[in-house]
Amino acid sequence: METIYKKVDINEIDLKVLEEAGELLRNGDLVAFPTETVYGLGANALNEQAAAKIYEAKGRPSDNPLIVHVCDEKQVKKVVRSIPDNAKKLMEKFWPGPLTIIFHKADIVPFATTGGLDTVAVRMPDHKVALKLMEVSDMVIAAPSANTSGRPSPTTAMHVKDDLDGKIAMIIDGGEVGIGIESTIVDVTGEIPMILRPGYITRNMLEEVVGQVEIDSAITGPMKEGVKPKAPGMKYKHYAPKADFTIYEGENIRVSQKINERALKCLEEGYKVGIIASDETIANYKYGDVVSIGSRNDELSISKKLYRVLREFDDKNVDYIFGENFESEELGYAIMNRMLKAAGYQVEKV
Ligand code: AMP
Ligand code: MG
């Protein structure tokens, strides 16, 4: 298949491009589009065959459900059975935005979209191109991240092209995304809202709106044998670079020393080494391919660049990645969730 590739200027959206995309979506084809979190791979969420194509193109396990994207309240009502009070409050405060909410699904949503679940994940993205695409196509769009399963999520249209060129009908290039990691997922079907995946919207931000919020145990460490995470996707080794990735925890200066020692040793043994540093620490490193992932004073600069850096290390066939730790109570919590998964929870305290 020849993949159509179209650029759109976010300040002056060419509606013809979106109409063309809408036509493809109506035909049951796949269209990748930008959102504020990462690029999504879209299909008509209410068309079983179209949803099935997403799994095929991504190589995604069929029990890993898709997020349904909407552009207004009318579309939300179409896909959910009811809107609990907590959900109403969260929608009002955070939509459009990087928060996905789990509802009981309406009958119209096929199980192919929900991975066989009786619930449906819904999000209204804060991106003009995405919103306009749903409006123009008059469609709710199922869209997981537009990467090959197991690779870091795409933050540019080029990343999408690298993974899915020839496998999907169209890529809409709307430039680099603003956040760079996937949405926060919160389940409001129980009494106490529960975070199933951390993201830009933090626990504190949610608690200010709905009171106590819990965190699914699947987020806090490696999955234990036999435990079933509430977000099925959390059990897969996501975001994995090809290299052996270790994260170092401790005082910055000691972390840098330790990484320098290990990097030198690996280089002497003939391996390629990539190092994930920050603007504040990059000067500490002497060996290997050293990259600053952003500034510790601006966590958004880090989330925005994380997946790009991991992809670049893949492209360079790096054997070992050594990374600093970016834990915090804000966005750093979600950044570390993704980094720890990428590293297979390989952490060394120094
Ligand atoms: P992606 O869009 O690729 O970031 O993946 C969507 C994520 O949403 C996956 O990790 C799913 O497990 C999660 N998800 C989607 N629908 C549901 C649902 N109904 N219940 C729980 N988690 C869901
Ligand atoms: Mg994904």
Side-chain angles (χ1 to χ4, degrees), residues 58 60 144-145 147 153 182 197 238-239:
K58 280 180 60 90
R60 182 178 175 107
S145 49
N147 53 301
S153 294
E182 306 82 351
R197 178 172 75 185
H238 257 174
Y239 332 115

Side-chain angles (χ1 to χ4, degrees), residues 52-279:
K53 277 193 195 169
I54 289 182
Y55 291 93
E56 197 189 322
K58 280 180 60 90
R60 182 178 175 107
S62 63
D63 67 344
N64 192 357
L66 310 174
I67 293 173
V68 175
H69 292 70
V70 296
C71 67
D72 58 27
E73 203 174 317
K74 206 174 108 219
Q75 289 197 330
V76 182
K77 287 188 173 142
K78 197 169 171 179
V79 296
V80 308
R81 204 178 303 159
S82 61
I83 303 181
D85 281 345
N86 279 337
K88 262 190 208 120
K89 291 183 200 158
L90 293 172
M91 287 157 65
E92 208 157 281
K93 175 82 182 172
F94 298 112
W95 280 6
L99 179 69
T100 296
I101 304 176
I102 308 289
F103 298 87
H104 289 294
K105 82 172 189 70
D107 291 338
I108 197 174
V109 182
F111 286 111
T113 296
T114 66
L117 296 174
D118 204 32
T119 52
V120 61
V122 184
R123 180 167 102 84
M124 188 185 291
D126 186 13
H127 196 289
K128 283 187 201 158
V129 174
L131 291 172
K132 204 79 195 162
L133 177 60
M134 287 176 274
E135 194 189 308
V136 168
S137 61
D138 190 23
M139 194 182 278
V140 287
I141 299 180
S145 49
N147 53 301
T148 299
S149 230
R151 292 212 72 199
S153 294
T155 56
T156 67
M158 266 313 126
H159 294 162
V160 179
K161 202 160 186 252
D162 287 344
D163 282 10
L164 299 174
D165 195 31
K167 294 182 174 170
I168 64 177
M170 186 174 185
I171 298 172
I172 303 174
D173 183 349
E176 195 181 0
V177 300
I179 293 177
I181 58 174
E182 306 82 351
S183 58
T184 304
I185 302 180
V186 64
D187 185 349
V188 294
T189 60
E191 205 160 298
I192 299 171
M194 187 180 280
I195 297 176
L196 307 187
R197 178 172 75 185
Y200 182 82
I201 307 291
T202 62
R203 182 188 203 167
N204 279 341
M205 289 158 84
L206 296 172
E207 287 191 329
E208 273 179 25
V209 179
V210 293
Q212 191 192 351
V213 171
E214 282 173 355
I215 294 190
D216 186 30
S217 62
I219 293 172
T220 50
M223 286 305 303
K224 292 184 190 71
E225 203 72 43
V227 175
K228 229 175 140 187
K230 294 221 165 53
M234 297 299 281
K235 74 171 173 282
Y236 297 107
K237 192 182 171 196
H238 257 174
Y239 332 115
K242 291 181 207 153
D244 184 306
F245 182 7
T246 308
I247 296 168
Y248 287 84
E249 219 179 84
E251 244 178 277
N252 282 349
I253 194 74
R254 301 207 40 197
V255 165
S256 303
Q257 269 168 6
K258 184 74 190 173
I259 290 179
N260 276 329
E261 277 168 31
R262 274 215 66 189
L264 179 61
K265 194 149 177 287
C266 289
L267 290 170
E268 282 172 351
E269 287 167 8
Y271 294 111
K272 274 192 175 176
V273 173
I275 292 170
I276 299 181
S278 54
D279 291 354

